[in-house]
Amino acid sequence: MVVRAHLMAVVMGAGLALAGVGFIAVMSLLLGARFEWSDLWMVRRSSVGWSAITVIAAGVLEELVFRGPLFSWLRRRWNDAAAVGICAVVFSAAHLMNPGVSALAAANVAIAGVLLGTLRIRTASLGGAIGFHVMWNVAVAAVVGAVSGMGSTGWWATLDTSMMDPSLLWLVSGPFGVEQGLVTTVALLGIIVVIAGWIRPSRPSRALRAVIIACGLLVLPTALPAQWIMMRSDADSLVQRGIQHVYNVEFTEAEAIFSEVQRRYPEHPASYFMDAMVDWWRITLNKRSYRHDDVFRTKIDRVLAVCDTLLARDEQDVVALFFKGGALGFRGRYHAVRGAYLDAVNDGKDGLEILQQCQKIAPSNHDIMLGTGLYNYFAVVMPEKYPLLNPAMLFLPKGDRTLGLLQLKAAANQARYAEVEAKSILVSAYFTFERDAQRAYPYALELATRFPRNPEFQRALGRCLVRLGRLDTMEVLWRSVLLNYMDKQPGYDEYAAREALYYIGLGRMRAREYELAIKYFYKSTQASKVVDDETSGFTVKANLNIARSYDALNNRPMAVKFYKYVLTLDDIDGSHAEAETALKSPPR
């Protein structure tokens, strides 16, 4: 009878968890979210298996810690309310280091702690709390995605909020997952009412408690972090600070930090790799200049040399494999920027092979997925954009567009070192190749907010705002870009100024301030003459919009002049057809 009572408590807890997740799913759909089927369980079954073991073990172990002996001692020392409250606060504090945590997320975890404590008391069994916690973790991981900030893609489905009204996102989800949403708050409070009002307390059992503790000790090793440890904590914290400086365009500070890590750990490749990333970003922010190219290539060669030294001692050195594959991958990206596409493909192939070897050793490491995701995705989309690459791709591993995006998402949500880079690549992938600004926007907004000094992230957000039609916000951002160029802020070059002038003009045109729009479009064309070696889309579209604006002002002679001028330029996105149509009959 005792065992049956505890099993009933487990089933009751699991049922309440399913009801809670079901409520969250229904409310999310009603608020505009959708569920996107995932094939992660098919393409990465071993990863899903380890993920399942981890979330189950985490549920058991956390209940042993927070609703086990400590909870019982607090009840004896004070009372039920003190035990529930203290353990709930400590439970919440234990999650503060999780990725994406916010004030609402921490509050929801504390409320969940109250729920679990109340369930523990009302069922007089730790089984009820374990059943709830385990089933909650499994259900969220299977069909929603992130569990307390960990993970990104659900095993069978993922909650997709990209099409929601941005003003409603906070109700449903955030970087911490659905446990950051107000809908989850309502669900948890509702379950607490059910537990407190309709579940009667029963007699406790010490026997089953001992069994559960013994089982928890058996599964303890599986709850260890899946990410492999790359360096000692002092160096790790320094590297993390340096990474933040790199992405916020604080290159001098980043170089000083990486130099210190190199002094402390001269044989570890991480600091050499990150130091090369400083010059990669210098190139990225000013592609017209070649002054940093030699330095970048030299630093990459240094990374490869350090990794090769480690691999000569141990061919399975996972850290050396990871950074060697990453260095080759970034050298491939550099070659692509400079138009050496065959060199880019070769480096990409070599880097992929090394990262695949690395992934066999550490299958659950999400930093590795940046490299594998990059190759899988761009091995498909780049030949589509540049058909001359197709012959070379016949001799290389086939890519997988869908898997590549899944891997990049996993890196964006769970990688320790590659998280920002993965999000940056996802912005480009969704905006440029998938033509899906809705999906690019959340990543672009996060990056622009976290790194306000980075012009690439600001401009990426600005493009998303333009495509999504958010004119007021878009124009404010592009005016800020233009001011930063005028103030000679790092990375705000003539390309940024030209782009800002064009989009400010577009904003004024859509606001029907046509004379002002013409001025900005004209300045944009002047900037294009400085930065373009051949006719660009900005030049064509700016002149086309000048013609449209003159038509709107009923100045037909000037409109005709600019439509005819457009016909002398390259035909981009149907510009010639539009100009010819407008010359035959003026737009109304």
Side-chain angles (χ1 to χ4, degrees):
M1 292 294 292
V2 171
V3 172
R4 181 183 177 186
H6 286 299
L7 290 175
M8 288 298 295
V10 171
V11 172
M12 184 182 300
L16 289 170
L18 282 175
V21 175
F23 172 82
I24 292 167
V26 171
M27 291 303 299
S28 299
L29 291 172
L30 292 175
L31 288 168
R34 61 185 180 182
F35 283 91
E36 187 176 80
W37 291 110
S38 169
D39 56 0
L40 185 64
W41 67 278
M42 291 191 297
V43 298
R44 292 296 308 280
R45 290 185 181 181
S46 61
S47 178
V48 170
W50 278 110
S51 176
I53 292 172
T54 300
V55 297
I56 291 170
V60 174
L61 290 173
E62 288 182 4
E63 291 315 301
L64 289 172
V65 172
F66 297 108
R67 256 69 59 181
L70 173 63
F71 188 87
S72 298
W73 180 83
L74 289 171
R75 290 181 72 188
R76 292 193 300 270
R77 180 68 176 81
W78 285 295
N79 54 42
D80 289 352
V84 170
I86 292 171
C87 286
V89 170
V90 177
F91 181 61
S92 178
H95 290 75
L96 291 179
M97 297 303 292
N98 285 26
V101 70
S102 66
L104 182 55
N108 278 346
V109 176
I111 294 170
V114 172
L115 184 158
L116 292 163
T118 305
L119 188 59
R120 165 75 174 81
I121 291 170
R122 298 297 285 179
T123 62
S125 169
L126 192 56
I130 289 176
F132 184 96
H133 200 151
V134 168
M135 183 54 71
W136 179 279
N137 284 0
V138 169
V140 172
V143 298
V144 177
V147 181
S148 301
M150 308 300 290
S152 59
T153 303
W155 304 335
W156 290 288
T158 301
L159 183 66
D160 180 5
T161 59
S162 63
M163 302 301 290
M164 284 183 60
D165 183 337
S167 64
L168 300 178
L169 281 175
W170 69 281
L171 296 172
V172 173
S173 185
F176 196 74
V178 292
E179 291 153 326
Q180 187 174 329
L182 188 64
V183 169
T184 297
T185 312
V186 175
L188 294 174
L189 291 174
I191 294 171
I192 290 173
V193 171
V194 171
I195 294 170
W198 283 282
I199 298 178
R200 295 182 179 181
S202 57
R203 296 177 62 185
S205 167
R206 295 182 180 179
L208 187 61
R209 197 175 306 159
V211 172
I212 293 172
I213 291 173
C215 292
L217 292 175
L218 287 174
V219 300
L220 178 61
T222 66
L224 296 175
Q227 302 282 75
W228 32 272
I229 298 172
M230 297 172 68
M231 54 176 51
R232 295 180 183 177
S233 59
D234 62 328
D236 180 78
S237 62
L238 282 172
V239 168
Q240 291 292 339
R241 281 174 49 202
I243 290 171
Q244 301 303 305
H245 284 307
V246 171
Y247 288 112
N248 210 32
V249 197
E250 296 160 342
F251 297 140
T252 302
E253 294 88 338
E255 287 176 320
I257 287 174
F258 297 141
S259 177
E260 173 61 20
V261 178
Q262 290 171 17
R263 185 187 67 78
R264 296 187 193 183
Y265 303 99
E267 293 189 346
H268 200 293
S271 57
Y272 299 101
F273 179 86
M274 296 303 175
D275 192 36
M277 292 305 97
V278 173
D279 290 280
W280 163 254
W281 270 93
R282 283 179 169 139
I283 292 169
T284 298
L285 296 179
N286 189 4
K287 295 183 178 70
R288 294 179 66 201
S289 171
Y290 288 76
R291 60 181 295 200
H292 301 292
D293 288 39
D294 289 342
V295 177
F296 172 74
R297 290 195 299 265
T298 299
K299 288 183 176 181
I300 287 294
D301 289 342
R302 180 76 179 276
V303 177
L304 295 173
V306 172
C307 292
D308 285 340
T309 300
L310 294 175
L311 291 170
R313 302 174 194 164
D314 179 5
E315 293 181 354
Q316 299 297 306
D317 188 318
V318 69
V319 172
L321 288 169
F322 171 74
F323 283 108
K324 183 173 183 177
L328 289 170
F330 270 94
R331 193 171 69 182
R333 293 179 69 186
Y334 161 77
H335 286 312
V337 167
R338 294 308 186 206
Y341 295 114
L342 290 179
D343 289 335
V345 169
N346 287 330
D347 273 341
K349 168 184 170 293
D350 294 341
L352 175 69
E353 291 174 352
I354 293 172
L355 289 174
Q356 286 176 332
Q357 182 183 353
C358 188
Q359 197 165 47
K360 291 177 182 178
I361 303 171
S364 298
N365 185 276
H366 293 87
D367 286 274
I368 299 170
M369 292 185 187
L370 170 65
T372 54
L374 262 172
Y375 184 89
N376 276 320
Y377 183 75
F378 285 100
V380 176
V381 300
M382 290 302 286
E384 291 177 358
K385 187 172 183 179
Y386 303 103
L388 290 176
L389 291 176
N390 282 308
M393 297 304 298
L394 293 174
F395 303 97
L396 299 174
K398 293 184 67 174
D400 186 322
R401 190 175 193 146
T402 302
L403 177 59
L405 284 174
L406 284 173
Q407 290 170 327
L408 289 170
K409 287 180 184 178
N413 284 278
Q414 282 192 275
R416 180 160 182 78
Y417 300 94
E419 167 246 338
V420 177
E421 197 67 33
K423 289 175 180 175
S424 174
I425 293 165
L426 281 170
V427 172
S428 175
Y430 280 128
F431 186 87
T432 304
F433 296 99
E434 302 298 312
R435 307 293 294 175
D436 191 342
Q438 282 281 5
R439 289 179 182 268
Y441 173 73
Y443 294 113
L445 178 62
E446 178 188 344
L447 293 176
T449 303
R450 285 174 60 188
F451 305 105
R453 290 168 53 90
N454 191 310
E456 283 291 301
F457 296 160
Q458 300 302 318
R459 291 166 67 185
L461 176 59
R463 294 180 200 118
C464 288
L465 292 171
V466 170
R467 194 172 289 178
L468 293 173
R470 300 175 188 176
L471 301 183
D472 293 341
T473 310
M474 170 270 284
E475 192 167 339
V476 170
L477 189 147
W478 285 111
R479 287 186 182 277
S480 174
V481 169
L482 187 59
L483 287 174
N484 283 327
Y485 164 75
M486 295 169 68
D487 291 339
K488 302 185 185 304
Q489 294 297 320
Y492 288 90
D493 57 8
E494 290 83 359
Y495 286 99
R498 183 264 303 276
E499 193 173 11
L501 288 165
Y502 176 82
Y503 285 127
I504 295 170
L506 191 63
R508 292 303 84 210
M509 180 180 172
R510 292 178 179 175
R512 299 185 179 183
E513 295 181 6
Y514 297 111
E515 292 181 353
L516 194 55
I518 289 170
K519 292 180 180 179
Y520 278 106
F521 286 135
Y522 179 73
K523 289 179 181 179
S524 174
T525 62
Q526 294 302 107
S528 291
K529 291 178 181 178
V530 175
V531 300
D532 289 338
D533 295 325
E534 55 187 32
T535 303
S536 67
F538 281 106
T539 297
V540 173
K541 292 182 179 180
N543 281 286
L544 195 56
N545 283 331
I546 290 173
R548 291 169 179 155
S549 297
Y550 275 123
D551 256 337
L553 292 170
N554 294 318
N555 189 338
R556 187 59 180 169
M558 289 299 293
V560 168
K561 175 183 175 181
F562 277 93
Y563 285 129
K564 289 181 177 179
Y565 180 61
V566 168
L567 292 175
T568 69
L569 303 174
D570 292 344
D571 187 5
I572 296 177
D573 292 339
S575 57
H576 282 190
E578 184 170 349
E580 288 170 351
T581 300
L583 285 170
K584 293 176 182 177
S585 57
R588 293 183 179 179

